[in-house]
């Protein structure tokens, strides 16, 4: 009880800036600051990686749909040379290619 009262009196004598610095130093000495920074970095990295993964999946889906529409158009129009060139350049998987072959 005495310890708490003496610390409260000491804190009251600090200016706002002094109190902020003393609190930071105390938390830093106990490892709280570095632990918080580490946790924050981990969370930021996780969120950024999730955002990149979601963005790349959506982009790939859009590209695949566009490729399939183009593939259907070339096949329907009997553009055999353009179709064979497009298939080789579109990076379509074997299952995508077989869907529109023959």
């Amino acid at each position: 009880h005495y310890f708490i009262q003496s610390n409260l009196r000491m804190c009251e004598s600090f200016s706002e800036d002094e109190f902020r610095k003393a609190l930071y130093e105390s938390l830093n000495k106990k490892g709280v600051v570095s632990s918080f920074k580490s946790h924050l970095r981990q969370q930021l990295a996780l969120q950024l990686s999730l955002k990149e993964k979601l963005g790349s999946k959506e982009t790939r889906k859009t590209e695949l749909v566009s490729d399939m529409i183009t593939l259907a158009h070339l096949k329907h129009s009997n553009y055999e040379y353009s179709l064979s060139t497009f298939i080789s350049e579109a990076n379509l998987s074997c299952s995508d290619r077989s869907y529109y072959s023959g």
Side-chain angles (χ1 to χ4, degrees):
H1 186 64
Y2 173 76
F3 179 74
I4 294 173
Q5 284 181 343
S6 66
N7 281 337
L8 286 175
R9 282 189 208 115
M10 187 172 59
C11 289
E12 288 174 356
S13 67
F14 285 159
S15 70
E16 186 178 325
D17 191 45
E18 291 171 329
F19 177 74
R20 190 177 310 133
K21 287 178 183 178
L23 179 61
Y24 179 83
E25 286 179 27
S26 174
L27 293 174
N28 194 29
K29 285 180 184 176
K30 293 177 183 178
V32 174
V33 173
S34 62
S35 177
F36 176 74
K37 287 179 179 180
S38 175
H39 180 72
L40 184 58
R41 280 191 301 271
Q42 289 173 347
Q43 290 301 313
L44 286 171
L46 177 65
Q47 293 302 316
L48 289 172
S49 69
L50 289 175
K51 185 177 179 181
E52 287 175 6
K53 287 179 185 177
L54 291 175
S56 64
K57 285 182 182 179
E58 291 301 316
T59 300
R60 180 63 187 138
K61 285 180 186 177
T62 302
E63 289 174 358
L64 184 58
V65 169
S66 298
D67 289 348
M68 298 304 276
I69 291 170
T70 303
L71 199 60
H73 169 70
L74 294 173
K75 179 73 175 168
H76 178 73
S77 300
N78 293 320
Y79 296 146
E80 295 300 322
Y81 178 78
S82 297
L83 180 63
S84 65
T85 302
F86 180 75
I87 288 174
S88 67
E89 292 182 353
N91 287 330
L92 297 175
S93 69
C94 292
S95 62
D96 297 331
R97 294 177 193 179
S98 63
Y99 182 77
Y100 283 99
S101 63

